[in-house]
Amino acid sequence: MGSSGLARLQGLFAVYKPPGLKWLHVRETVELQLLKGLNAQQCPAPEQRRVRFLLSPVEGNEEKLTLTATSVPSLTTHRLVRGPAFTSLMIGVGHRLDVQASGVLVLAVGHGRSLLTDIYNAHLTKDYTVRGLLGKATDNFCEDGRLIEKTTYDHVTRERLDRILAMIQGSHQKALVMYSNLDLKSQEAYEMAVQGVVRPMNKSPMLISGIRCLHFAPPEFLLEVQCMHETQKQLRKLVHEIGLELKTTAVCTQVRRTRDGFFRLDDALLRTQWDLHKIQDAIQAAAPRVAAELKKNLSLKLSHQQLPSARQPWGFRGPSSTSKLEDCAGE
């Protein structure tokens, strides 16, 4: 029973990480719940393998004793003798989330850990919802940081915000093509652009493939961001830089990952679902989709002809900065 249960734990699944928890704590909690489930499974009865000679009275004369060969159960495999069958599991973590962020966190068990490398090599995009608050600036770009400045924001409109977001998206899409090392005049580049699978083939700064405003009610606003090679701190800094472009200030109040590659919020198990059977079912349900998506994305990468490394675009640190949007748009 234990080995069959462990065999169904080879693969990838996603959990929902709440804010305020470290990713390491989530991993350890999942491991503990899986070990409880595996060790709670019913063990087979001890096998009758051991023969012992026991004293027994002679038939018809109870005063005399004789040695009788008797088969007794071997207790070497009994749970109370050998202890728990499973004491640790190999669990890998995909793209991590910091303490303040929440959302989809991909985990891998057993041989599924090797698939995490394939996911990194595929350079898949991730979706976030990022909530901002106008009128304040802090030392860590978060609402709970040390207050540095307070500003007015009455002049900020939805149209101005949308214009800034369009400039950010345009500059990052230009960087995305540069880092993908594609020949822009080739048929391959055109087909990849139509399919929406243009992505960097190597390490790059944070790249935003799409950004839009979902809700605007000053001082609050909500953004949807599709990006890759990001950190949550960079997303919070992006909110700060958007505030500067709007001639005011802004802090980030929430970062929530809604998609990590081909895992979405609907696939993420809630805290109450972190048990053996739910995780086994999630791994089995995700396995066909994981295999199909990885095959498609990695085949695109293998068929992509590598060109000489692209030069650093625009002559500044990276496309995550919005301080030179006007210069970038003019090139």
Short mmCIF file of all heavy atoms in Angstrom, two decimals, residues 215-247:
data_model
loop_
_atom_site.label_atom_id
_atom_site.label_comp_id
_atom_site.label_asym_id
_atom_site.label_seq_id
_atom_site.Cartn_x
_atom_site.Cartn_y
_atom_site.Cartn_z
N HIS A 215 -8.72 47.78 -12.54
CA HIS A 215 -9.62 48.58 -11.70
C HIS A 215 -8.91 49.86 -11.31
O HIS A 215 -7.74 49.84 -10.94
CB HIS A 215 -10.02 47.78 -10.46
CG HIS A 215 -10.94 48.53 -9.53
ND1 HIS A 215 -12.24 48.82 -9.86
CD2 HIS A 215 -10.74 49.03 -8.29
CE1 HIS A 215 -12.81 49.48 -8.86
NE2 HIS A 215 -11.91 49.62 -7.90
N PHE A 216 -9.62 50.97 -11.41
CA PHE A 216 -9.04 52.27 -11.06
C PHE A 216 -10.05 53.06 -10.24
O PHE A 216 -11.09 53.48 -10.74
CB PHE A 216 -8.67 53.04 -12.33
CG PHE A 216 -7.99 54.36 -12.07
CD1 PHE A 216 -6.67 54.41 -11.65
CD2 PHE A 216 -8.69 55.55 -12.23
CE1 PHE A 216 -6.05 55.62 -11.41
CE2 PHE A 216 -8.08 56.77 -11.98
CZ PHE A 216 -6.76 56.80 -11.57
N ALA A 217 -9.76 53.22 -8.96
CA ALA A 217 -10.60 53.99 -8.04
C ALA A 217 -9.68 54.70 -7.07
O ALA A 217 -9.41 54.18 -5.99
CB ALA A 217 -11.58 53.08 -7.31
N PRO A 218 -9.12 55.86 -7.49
CA PRO A 218 -8.11 56.56 -6.69
C PRO A 218 -8.51 56.66 -5.22
O PRO A 218 -9.68 56.93 -4.93
CB PRO A 218 -8.03 57.93 -7.34
CG PRO A 218 -8.50 57.71 -8.74
CD PRO A 218 -9.53 56.63 -8.65
N PRO A 219 -7.56 56.38 -4.32
CA PRO A 219 -6.13 56.18 -4.57
C PRO A 219 -5.73 54.76 -4.96
O PRO A 219 -4.56 54.48 -5.15
CB PRO A 219 -5.50 56.56 -3.24
CG PRO A 219 -6.52 56.15 -2.23
CD PRO A 219 -7.85 56.43 -2.86
N GLU A 220 -6.67 53.82 -5.08
CA GLU A 220 -6.32 52.44 -5.36
C GLU A 220 -6.41 52.14 -6.85
O GLU A 220 -7.24 52.70 -7.56
CB GLU A 220 -7.23 51.49 -4.58
CG GLU A 220 -7.07 51.57 -3.06
CD GLU A 220 -7.92 50.53 -2.35
OE1 GLU A 220 -8.76 49.89 -3.04
OE2 GLU A 220 -7.75 50.34 -1.14
N PHE A 221 -5.57 51.23 -7.30
CA PHE A 221 -5.65 50.71 -8.66
C PHE A 221 -5.13 49.28 -8.67
O PHE A 221 -4.33 48.89 -7.83
CB PHE A 221 -4.87 51.59 -9.65
CG PHE A 221 -3.40 51.69 -9.38
CD1 PHE A 221 -2.48 50.83 -9.97
CD2 PHE A 221 -2.91 52.68 -8.50
CE1 PHE A 221 -1.13 50.94 -9.71
CE2 PHE A 221 -1.55 52.78 -8.25
CZ PHE A 221 -0.66 51.92 -8.85
N LEU A 222 -5.62 48.51 -9.63
CA LEU A 222 -5.28 47.10 -9.72
C LEU A 222 -4.76 46.80 -11.13
O LEU A 222 -5.42 47.13 -12.12
CB LEU A 222 -6.49 46.22 -9.41
CG LEU A 222 -6.28 44.71 -9.47
CD1 LEU A 222 -5.31 44.26 -8.37
CD2 LEU A 222 -7.61 43.96 -9.33
N LEU A 223 -3.58 46.19 -11.21
CA LEU A 223 -2.96 45.89 -12.49
C LEU A 223 -2.90 44.37 -12.69
O LEU A 223 -2.79 43.61 -11.73
CB LEU A 223 -1.52 46.43 -12.54
CG LEU A 223 -1.31 47.91 -12.27
CD1 LEU A 223 0.17 48.25 -12.31
CD2 LEU A 223 -2.09 48.76 -13.26
N GLU A 224 -2.99 43.98 -13.95
CA GLU A 224 -2.72 42.60 -14.34
C GLU A 224 -1.43 42.60 -15.16
O GLU A 224 -1.32 43.34 -16.13
CB GLU A 224 -3.87 42.03 -15.17
CG GLU A 224 -3.66 40.59 -15.59
CD GLU A 224 -4.76 40.08 -16.49
OE1 GLU A 224 -4.96 40.65 -17.59
OE2 GLU A 224 -5.44 39.11 -16.09
N VAL A 225 -0.48 41.77 -14.76
CA VAL A 225 0.84 41.77 -15.38
C VAL A 225 1.19 40.36 -15.83
O VAL A 225 1.09 39.42 -15.03
CB VAL A 225 1.93 42.29 -14.41
CG1 VAL A 225 3.28 42.37 -15.11
CG2 VAL A 225 1.54 43.64 -13.83
N GLN A 226 1.56 40.22 -17.11
CA GLN A 226 2.13 38.97 -17.62
C GLN A 226 3.62 39.21 -17.81
O GLN A 226 4.01 40.14 -18.52
CB GLN A 226 1.50 38.55 -18.94
CG GLN A 226 0.04 38.13 -18.85
CD GLN A 226 -0.92 39.29 -19.06
OE1 GLN A 226 -0.67 40.15 -19.87
NE2 GLN A 226 -2.01 39.28 -18.32
N CYS A 227 4.45 38.38 -17.19
CA CYS A 227 5.87 38.65 -17.21
C CYS A 227 6.66 37.36 -17.07
O CYS A 227 6.10 36.28 -16.87
CB CYS A 227 6.25 39.62 -16.09
SG CYS A 227 5.73 39.06 -14.44
N MET A 228 7.97 37.49 -17.17
CA MET A 228 8.89 36.37 -16.98
C MET A 228 10.19 36.89 -16.38
O MET A 228 10.52 38.07 -16.52
CB MET A 228 9.14 35.64 -18.30
CG MET A 228 9.74 36.50 -19.39
SD MET A 228 9.75 35.69 -21.02
CE MET A 228 8.02 35.83 -21.46
N HIS A 229 10.91 36.03 -15.72
CA HIS A 229 12.20 36.35 -15.09
C HIS A 229 12.06 37.47 -14.06
O HIS A 229 12.95 38.28 -13.88
CB HIS A 229 13.23 36.75 -16.15
CG HIS A 229 13.52 35.67 -17.14
ND1 HIS A 229 14.37 35.84 -18.21
CD2 HIS A 229 13.06 34.38 -17.23
CE1 HIS A 229 14.41 34.73 -18.92
NE2 HIS A 229 13.62 33.82 -18.34
N GLU A 230 10.93 37.51 -13.40
CA GLU A 230 10.64 38.57 -12.44
C GLU A 230 10.88 38.11 -11.01
O GLU A 230 11.01 36.91 -10.73
CB GLU A 230 9.18 39.02 -12.58
CG GLU A 230 8.16 38.15 -11.87
CD GLU A 230 8.06 36.74 -12.44
OE1 GLU A 230 8.42 36.53 -13.61
OE2 GLU A 230 7.62 35.83 -11.70
N THR A 231 10.95 39.07 -10.11
CA THR A 231 10.83 38.82 -8.68
C THR A 231 9.68 39.67 -8.17
O THR A 231 9.30 40.66 -8.80
CB THR A 231 12.12 39.16 -7.92
OG1 THR A 231 12.36 40.58 -8.02
CG2 THR A 231 13.31 38.41 -8.49
N GLN A 232 9.13 39.29 -7.02
CA GLN A 232 8.02 40.09 -6.49
C GLN A 232 8.49 41.49 -6.08
O GLN A 232 7.74 42.45 -6.19
CB GLN A 232 7.40 39.37 -5.28
CG GLN A 232 6.62 38.13 -5.66
CD GLN A 232 7.49 36.93 -5.94
OE1 GLN A 232 8.28 36.52 -5.09
NE2 GLN A 232 7.37 36.34 -7.12
N LYS A 233 9.75 41.62 -5.67
CA LYS A 233 10.26 42.94 -5.33
C LYS A 233 10.31 43.83 -6.57
O LYS A 233 10.04 45.04 -6.48
CB LYS A 233 11.66 42.81 -4.72
CG LYS A 233 12.24 44.14 -4.24
CD LYS A 233 13.57 43.95 -3.54
CE LYS A 233 14.12 45.30 -3.06
NZ LYS A 233 15.43 45.15 -2.36
N GLN A 234 10.65 43.27 -7.71
CA GLN A 234 10.67 44.06 -8.94
C GLN A 234 9.28 44.53 -9.32
O GLN A 234 9.10 45.63 -9.84
CB GLN A 234 11.29 43.24 -10.08
CG GLN A 234 12.79 43.03 -9.94
CD GLN A 234 13.33 42.10 -11.00
OE1 GLN A 234 12.69 41.13 -11.39
NE2 GLN A 234 14.53 42.40 -11.49
N LEU A 235 8.27 43.71 -9.07
CA LEU A 235 6.90 44.12 -9.36
C LEU A 235 6.46 45.25 -8.43
O LEU A 235 5.75 46.18 -8.85
CB LEU A 235 5.96 42.92 -9.21
CG LEU A 235 6.12 41.81 -10.27
CD1 LEU A 235 5.26 40.60 -9.91
CD2 LEU A 235 5.75 42.34 -11.65
N ARG A 236 6.89 45.19 -7.17
CA ARG A 236 6.56 46.29 -6.25
C ARG A 236 7.28 47.57 -6.67
O ARG A 236 6.71 48.67 -6.59
CB ARG A 236 6.94 45.90 -4.83
CG ARG A 236 6.17 44.70 -4.30
CD ARG A 236 6.48 44.41 -2.84
NE ARG A 236 5.83 43.19 -2.39
CZ ARG A 236 6.42 42.02 -2.30
NH1 ARG A 236 7.72 41.91 -2.57
NH2 ARG A 236 5.75 40.95 -1.90
N LYS A 237 8.52 47.42 -7.12
CA LYS A 237 9.26 48.58 -7.59
C LYS A 237 8.61 49.17 -8.84
O LYS A 237 8.62 50.38 -9.05
CB LYS A 237 10.71 48.20 -7.88
CG LYS A 237 11.58 49.40 -8.27
CD LYS A 237 13.02 48.96 -8.51
CE LYS A 237 13.88 50.17 -8.92
NZ LYS A 237 15.29 49.76 -9.19
N LEU A 238 8.04 48.30 -9.67
CA LEU A 238 7.34 48.76 -10.87
C LEU A 238 6.18 49.68 -10.50
O LEU A 238 5.96 50.71 -11.15
CB LEU A 238 6.83 47.55 -11.67
CG LEU A 238 6.04 47.87 -12.94
CD1 LEU A 238 6.93 48.55 -13.97
CD2 LEU A 238 5.44 46.58 -13.51
N VAL A 239 5.44 49.34 -9.45
CA VAL A 239 4.35 50.21 -8.98
C VAL A 239 4.91 51.56 -8.56
O VAL A 239 4.33 52.61 -8.87
CB VAL A 239 3.60 49.52 -7.82
CG1 VAL A 239 2.58 50.49 -7.20
CG2 VAL A 239 2.90 48.27 -8.31
N HIS A 240 6.03 51.54 -7.85
CA HIS A 240 6.67 52.80 -7.43
C HIS A 240 7.06 53.64 -8.64
O HIS A 240 6.82 54.87 -8.65
CB HIS A 240 7.91 52.47 -6.59
CG HIS A 240 8.81 53.63 -6.33
ND1 HIS A 240 8.51 54.62 -5.41
CD2 HIS A 240 10.01 53.97 -6.89
CE1 HIS A 240 9.48 55.52 -5.41
NE2 HIS A 240 10.41 55.15 -6.30
N GLU A 241 7.61 53.02 -9.67
CA GLU A 241 8.05 53.77 -10.85
C GLU A 241 6.87 54.29 -11.66
O GLU A 241 6.94 55.36 -12.26
CB GLU A 241 8.95 52.87 -11.71
CG GLU A 241 10.27 52.54 -11.03
CD GLU A 241 11.10 51.55 -11.83
OE1 GLU A 241 10.52 50.85 -12.69
OE2 GLU A 241 12.33 51.49 -11.62
N ILE A 242 5.78 53.53 -11.67
CA ILE A 242 4.56 54.01 -12.33
C ILE A 242 4.06 55.27 -11.63
O ILE A 242 3.63 56.24 -12.26
CB ILE A 242 3.49 52.91 -12.35
CG1 ILE A 242 3.88 51.81 -13.32
CG2 ILE A 242 2.12 53.48 -12.73
CD1 ILE A 242 2.97 50.60 -13.29
N GLY A 243 4.12 55.27 -10.29
CA GLY A 243 3.72 56.46 -9.55
C GLY A 243 4.57 57.66 -9.92
O GLY A 243 4.05 58.78 -10.08
N LEU A 244 5.88 57.47 -10.08
CA LEU A 244 6.75 58.58 -10.46
C LEU A 244 6.42 59.08 -11.86
O LEU A 244 6.44 60.30 -12.12
CB LEU A 244 8.22 58.12 -10.39
CG LEU A 244 8.75 57.73 -9.01
CD1 LEU A 244 10.21 57.32 -9.11
CD2 LEU A 244 8.59 58.87 -8.02
N GLU A 245 6.12 58.18 -12.78
CA GLU A 245 5.75 58.59 -14.14
C GLU A 245 4.44 59.38 -14.14
O GLU A 245 4.22 60.22 -15.01
CB GLU A 245 5.63 57.37 -15.05
CG GLU A 245 6.95 56.68 -15.36
CD GLU A 245 7.87 57.56 -16.16
OE1 GLU A 245 7.37 58.32 -17.02
OE2 GLU A 245 9.09 57.51 -15.92
N LEU A 246 3.58 59.11 -13.17
CA LEU A 246 2.31 59.84 -13.05
C LEU A 246 2.47 61.14 -12.28
O LEU A 246 1.47 61.78 -11.95
CB LEU A 246 1.28 58.95 -12.36
CG LEU A 246 0.80 57.71 -13.14
CD1 LEU A 246 -0.03 56.79 -12.25
CD2 LEU A 246 -0.01 58.14 -14.36
N LYS A 247 3.72 61.53 -11.98
CA LYS A 247 4.01 62.77 -11.24
C LYS A 247 3.44 62.71 -9.82
O LYS A 247 2.97 63.73 -9.29
CB LYS A 247 3.50 64.00 -11.98
CG LYS A 247 3.90 64.08 -13.44
CD LYS A 247 5.40 64.04 -13.61
CE LYS A 247 5.78 64.13 -15.10
NZ LYS A 247 7.25 63.96 -15.31
#
